[in-house]
Amino acid sequence: MTKRFGFTLAEVLITLAIIGVVAAMTIPTLVANYQTRAWNTSATVFDRKLTEALKVMNTQGTLAGLKTTENFVEELSKHLKIIKTCTNDKLMDCFSEEVFWGAGTATPEAVDMTKVKTAKHLGQKDWGTNIVGIQLANGTNALVAYNPTNTCNQDPYSNQITGEKCLAILYDTTGFKTPNTSSKDLRSNSNVTKLGRTCAIEVNGKCFSAPFFPEAMSYADCAGENATSAETGTTAGTYAQSLGIQECYYENDYWAGAVEACGGTSNMPGDDDLTAIAQLLYPSITVSSTGTTYCAKDDSGNYTTCRETELALSLGFKSTSGTLTDLQWFSVWSGVENYGNYAYYRWFDPTLTYRHDYGTTRSSSSPMAVCLGD
């Protein structure tokens, strides 16, 4: 009699279980790799088609000298298959309302694209042009900003585009589909240096960043070529002067560090701006631009707490201890210098706020800084 061999039910079940585990481990990776290849391929195709179109425009002499982004897109549409163009007031007809932007960070931040309207929101504030939306036949959506200041130099004879900072282009290789995330389906050229508004505090029609504790600038960095011995009142070097700093402090200079972080004194709040921030945090009282402003007194003759602690915390203000549950006091640098030792600032605590008439020493690490955004 012939014996027949086979697998037992237990062996079959174990084998299936192993296959399931392996599949569960490998399939997500395979899918992710496939998606990445698809995004990369779409981005490569878009880059190639755009480059070819620009070269044709370069050869025809229609690349440089245009006055607006609208003019540029009109010329581009003659050489690139654009099926839809969206004007600046209807950009979301060509682009997703929310994307996740992080420049490679682990957790990209959500950006409300309805507020992205001009070239400065792509990081090119000096271009002075609007953004225009386009949709390509292959499903790619893009936001385009053109630099009209003749930096897009053309050379029709060599077929080379020699200028820099001609275009800032943000494009989504999957159109309105997810994930709408940078380094995945969302890509850009090198001229998109940021995305959206850096606005955490909005006062006086201005947009300021979230507050932060600045790093100090050293005396050597401030004084530059004028450095001799470390002393207060030394004339700032060329670099520091370009930021609006006039004199240097002989110790670590936190005010100068705030100026550097903001890109210059003109990008820091003035007295009126800090007063407006105080009015935002002290809604029940009239805040003076100079002098001390107190809250009302209670029946026992004590000053009441009138600063909105929760609001201050939500805006990112912190006491020097960095506590996230309470704010005893904090202060904020202005962009106004007062000799080599001091710079003006505003003090906040639960019952009073004031603009220091003389200023505080620039070696103080207590004040926070906010920078002018868009």
Side-chain angles (χ1 to χ4, degrees):
M1 183 177 179
T2 304
K3 292 184 178 181
R4 297 184 179 181
F5 298 93
F7 296 105
T8 65
L9 178 59
E11 291 172 330
V12 172
L13 293 176
I14 291 173
T15 302
L16 291 175
I18 293 173
I19 293 173
V21 171
V22 173
M25 295 174 61
T26 59
I27 289 178
T29 301
L30 293 174
V31 171
N33 290 340
Y34 170 79
Q35 289 178 328
T36 300
R37 287 197 298 270
W39 294 328
N40 290 341
T41 299
S42 297
T44 300
V45 170
F46 175 82
D47 289 339
R48 186 181 71 248
K49 289 184 176 181
L50 177 64
T51 299
E52 290 172 352
L54 295 179
K55 285 184 177 180
V56 173
M57 293 173 65
N58 178 48
T59 301
Q60 296 179 351
T62 59
L63 181 61
L66 302 174
K67 295 182 179 180
T68 66
T69 302
E70 290 81 0
N71 296 150
F72 169 78
V73 170
E74 182 179 356
E75 288 294 329
L76 180 66
S77 64
K78 298 175 183 178
H79 312 287
L80 190 64
K81 194 169 184 181
I82 298 173
I83 62 173
K84 186 175 183 179
T85 300
C86 298
T87 56
N88 187 257
D89 60 337
K90 296 182 179 179
L91 290 180
M92 295 306 96
D93 290 346
C94 283
F95 215 80
S96 300
E97 291 189 2
E98 183 182 70
V99 303
F100 297 89
W101 182 260
T105 58
T107 307
E109 294 183 359
V111 178
D112 181 0
M113 296 301 291
T114 62
K115 297 181 179 179
V116 176
K117 297 291 185 181
T118 66
K120 67 181 181 181
H121 295 145
L122 298 181
Q124 302 302 334
K125 64 180 181 180
D126 298 326
W127 290 12
T129 51
N130 288 332
I131 291 172
V132 173
I134 61 174
Q135 287 185 345
L136 275 61
N138 67 353
T140 298
N141 294 350
L143 298 180
V144 182
Y146 175 79
N147 187 351
T149 58
N150 292 321
T151 61
C152 200
N153 301 321
Q154 54 195 5
D155 182 1
Y157 299 103
S158 66
N159 198 31
Q160 295 296 316
I161 304 167
T162 58
E164 296 181 355
K165 288 199 171 183
C166 299
L167 303 171
I169 300 181
L170 177 74
Y171 59 98
D172 191 335
T173 62
T174 60
F176 291 105
K177 299 178 182 179
T178 56
N180 297 334
T181 302
S182 58
S183 301
K184 294 183 178 179
D185 59 336
L186 191 66
R187 308 293 179 92
S188 65
N189 71 352
S190 60
N191 292 328
V192 178
T193 59
K194 73 172 185 177
L195 187 60
R197 304 177 70 196
T198 55
C199 185
I201 305 165
E202 195 163 1
V203 293
N204 286 343
K206 301 176 183 179
C207 187
F208 289 95
S209 69
F212 61 95
F213 289 106
E215 298 289 333
M217 179 185 286
S218 69
Y219 168 82
D221 288 341
C222 178
E225 67 276 9
N226 295 327
T228 52
S229 59
E231 58 183 355
T232 297
T234 301
T235 301
T238 302
Y239 170 65
Q241 286 188 25
S242 72
L243 298 174
I245 300 171
Q246 300 304 311
E247 295 182 355
C248 298
Y249 186 56
Y250 68 91
E251 293 182 356
N252 285 337
D253 191 335
Y254 287 90
W255 176 78
V259 173
E260 183 177 38
C262 290
T265 55
S266 61
N267 291 327
M268 295 180 68
D271 289 337
D272 290 344
D273 300 319
L274 291 178
T275 301
I277 292 175
Q279 290 170 329
L280 178 67
L281 298 178
Y282 296 77
S284 61
I285 61 174
T286 301
V287 177
S288 170
S289 60
T290 59
T292 302
T293 304
Y294 289 93
C295 300
K297 291 184 178 181
D298 59 21
D299 294 338
S300 301
N302 299 315
Y303 287 109
T304 60
T305 299
C306 60
R307 175 163 54 78
E308 298 290 341
T309 300
E310 291 299 326
L311 176 58
L313 287 170
S314 70
L315 294 175
F317 292 108
K318 299 178 182 179
S319 66
T320 52
S321 64
T323 177
L324 297 178
T325 57
D326 190 19
L327 278 175
Q328 295 303 314
W329 62 268
F330 63 88
S331 53
V332 183
W333 289 117
S334 77
V336 183
E337 184 174 0
N338 185 15
Y339 307 108
N341 272 358
Y342 298 93
Y344 291 111
Y345 72 105
R346 178 169 279 276
W347 174 283
F348 301 79
D349 77 20
T351 63
L352 64 90
T353 177
Y354 64 90
R355 181 257 207 185
H356 201 290
D357 290 334
Y358 190 63
T360 188
T361 175
R362 286 160 52 167
S363 64
S364 174
S365 60
S366 297
M368 302 187 78
V370 295
C371 302
L372 186 66
D374 297 327

